[in-house]
Amino acid sequence: MLLAEPLFYRLLTVFLVSNLKSMRKVIYGPIILLILGSLFFVLKTNKTIAKNNKVHKLPTQTPFYLGTYTNGASEGIYKYAISNEGKLAALGLVAKTKNPSFLSKTANEKYLIAVNEEEAGRVTSFKINKDSLKFISESPSGGAHPCFVTVNKNGEVLVANYTGGNVGLLKLNESGALSELLDVHQHVGKSITERQKAPHAHSVWFHPNSETNISVDLGTDELLFSTIDRKTQKLVPTGQNTLKMPAGSGPRHLTFHPNNDFIYVINELSSAVSLLKKNENNVYYVDATYPTLPKDFNKDNTCADIHISKDGKFLYASNRGHNSIAIFSIEKEGTLKFITHEPTRGEGPRNFAISPDNNFLLVANQYTDNIIAFKRNVTTGTLAYISEIKAPSPVCILF
């Protein structure tokens, strides 16, 4: 280890002076100078190396998990990361499990929950380790083909079963183990299109500001409202039992405005976003609906996902067919103003996510096996392409 510079100089000076006074031959002088020059060179070289290492330090990375379909190259759940510069990196397979098409994490980020989207629907829980997911437990989801799962701070787990047309209730204990199925809320009815001959629960949500749960049914064009009776561990309808959406709209996912009591619903079949507000009786109603496609687009399209920036200023919605992210600004009273479409550079943008720092938007293109990273302009809401990475059948991004 080299000495600190001030002390190093002092010792060299003392050494030089003391030796020069005792020199009997002139030849010692050049030898000492040569030694000193070599030492100074080594010190300067080490300083340069340290400086260069600091400059080229690897950028900080934010990890995220990827849910997939395993009917192709995928084996389960993967871990990726995005750098501060927006570069994507693959960190590898972290859990082998079948069709983990949707993922959720506990608030303390100790446990991850995945659906297994199969005929015999299941839910699986894992412990989150640094480089892997450790299997903990598995329970029935309550219906066929679960496609959405969420967990609240109390460890209550809700699962939307698409083909089953129902919502299952489970509980996660402090060790991350799932209970057996506690309750199933079966939806009933149908609507007007070929895909709506039976109920199809596509997502279910814990309201951030109340005890209300909202399940979204594509098959019946309805939102269904309930609460959890913690004494009986059952799902109980609220005063507003349902909200009927426009016929044929096919509601799929929703998002809550972070600053106001507005809800935005993405309608898969009608390719539109609906704004929900509350009336004087505290009951939600459809206030307005906004198309996600250009007027001249006449090909097949289905919408998939919807998110709002943390500041509540911009809303994003994905189009599959048009293969784009529709970008809106959120105006006064929650109304939407269309800004632009950003191509997703791949086909079938089933799911996307905004990074925790709100600087990036990542899109999972299911049919072209890639993830695209866009840089968000936090002032205008627009997106700029940054990077791309291959991923097998990507369908869910979870930070």
Side-chain angles (χ1 to χ4, degrees), residues 10 37 211 233 255 295 309 340 348 385:
R10 288 199 296 270
E211 293 294 312
Q233 296 292 294
T255 186
K295 291 182 179 180
S309 57
T340 190
Y385 170 77

Side-chain angles (χ1 to χ4, degrees), residues 303-332:
C303 285
D305 205 6
I306 184 169
H307 293 283
I308 293 176
S309 57
K310 285 184 179 179
D311 58 13
K313 293 182 178 180
F314 300 101
L315 182 144
Y316 302 87
S318 63
N319 286 307
R320 298 176 296 181
H322 190 248
N323 295 320
S324 66
I325 300 295
I327 306 173
F328 300 86
S329 63
I330 300 176
E331 307 294 303
K332 291 182 179 180

